[in-house]
Each structure stands twice: as C-alpha cells, then as structure tokens.
C-alpha cells in the first residue's frame, strides 16, 4: 500500500512539474511572433490509479498580434493549480515515506 502511494505521489510530482514547465514556456514566449502555445493534458495511467501521464498538444496560434490576455490569464491561473497539485503530491510522498519507515521499524 505504501509503495503504491509513493509511486502515485511521484507520478503526480512529475506531471505537475511538466505542467508548470509548459505554462512557464507559454508565459515566457507570449510576445514571440508566431508562437504556438501548448496545453498540458493530464491522463490517467494504466492500470487505473497508478499514476498520471502528461502530454502537451499545440493549441494553435492565438491571435495574429500575439496571445490574448485571456489565454495569458488562464496560463497564470493554471500555474497556481499546478503548484498546489505539486505540493499535494509532495505530501503524499512524505506520508508514504513515513509509512514505509514505520513498516520497516515493525519488521526489525
């Protein structure tokens, strides 16, 4: 049980880190001519419940004169969500680590 929680927490950390990378890339390049922003898509891994995978798909060109302020605001908001997801996954990893330590102490 603790090992699967550790795996799920690690997967969540990796997925949220990649999502933060995508959002940072979009914000940093918002004024670059012909820039195609990307979108982070979370998907459940197989078998169900064992982790999260992340894919990035192009959204297409925003507007000819650059990204709209709506898309930029959405990316900024998403970065806060991804940070919260990262923090939560870190707490899952920490709790799983404590449980594994307890199990090792009981066995010893």
């Amino acid at each position: 049980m603790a090992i699967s929680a550790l795996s799920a927490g690690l997967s969540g950390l990796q997925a949220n880190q990649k999502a933060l990378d995508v959002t940072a890339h979009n914000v940093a390049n918002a004024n670059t001519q012909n820039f195609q922003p990307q979108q982070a898509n979370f998907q459940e891994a197989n078998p169900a419940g064992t982790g999260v995978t992340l894919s990035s798909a192009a959204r297409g060109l925003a507007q000819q004169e650059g990204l709209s302020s709506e898309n930029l605001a959405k990316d900024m908001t998403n970065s806060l969500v991804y940070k919260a997801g990262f923090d939560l996954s870190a707490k899952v990893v920490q709790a799983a680590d404590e449980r594994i330590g307890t199990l090792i102490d009981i066995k010893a």
Side-chain angles (χ1 to χ4, degrees):
M1 177 93 165
I3 299 294
S4 63
L6 187 62
S7 176
L10 180 59
S11 178
L13 284 171
Q14 292 170 335
N16 282 290
Q17 179 61 50
K18 288 179 185 177
L20 280 167
D21 291 345
V22 167
T23 301
H25 177 71
N26 288 346
V27 172
N29 292 298
N31 291 326
T32 303
Q33 187 175 7
N34 296 326
F35 173 68
Q36 284 193 318
Q38 296 177 331
Q39 182 177 7
N41 298 309
F42 290 89
Q43 298 173 344
E44 189 173 351
N46 289 324
T50 61
V52 179
T53 59
L54 179 77
S55 65
S56 299
R59 276 192 240 164
L61 288 173
Q63 297 174 351
Q64 290 298 86
E65 56 274 354
L67 287 175
S68 70
S69 60
E70 180 182 319
N71 286 339
L72 195 54
K74 185 177 178 181
D75 279 333
M76 295 299 292
T77 303
N78 284 344
S79 69
L80 296 174
V81 172
Y82 301 147
K83 183 192 177 305
F86 185 90
D87 292 343
L88 180 62
S89 295
K91 289 182 190 258
V92 169
V93 169
Q94 182 180 13
D97 180 52
E98 289 172 4
R99 297 299 164 249
I100 290 171
T102 302
L103 291 173
I104 291 171
D105 291 342
I106 290 171
K107 281 287 200 180

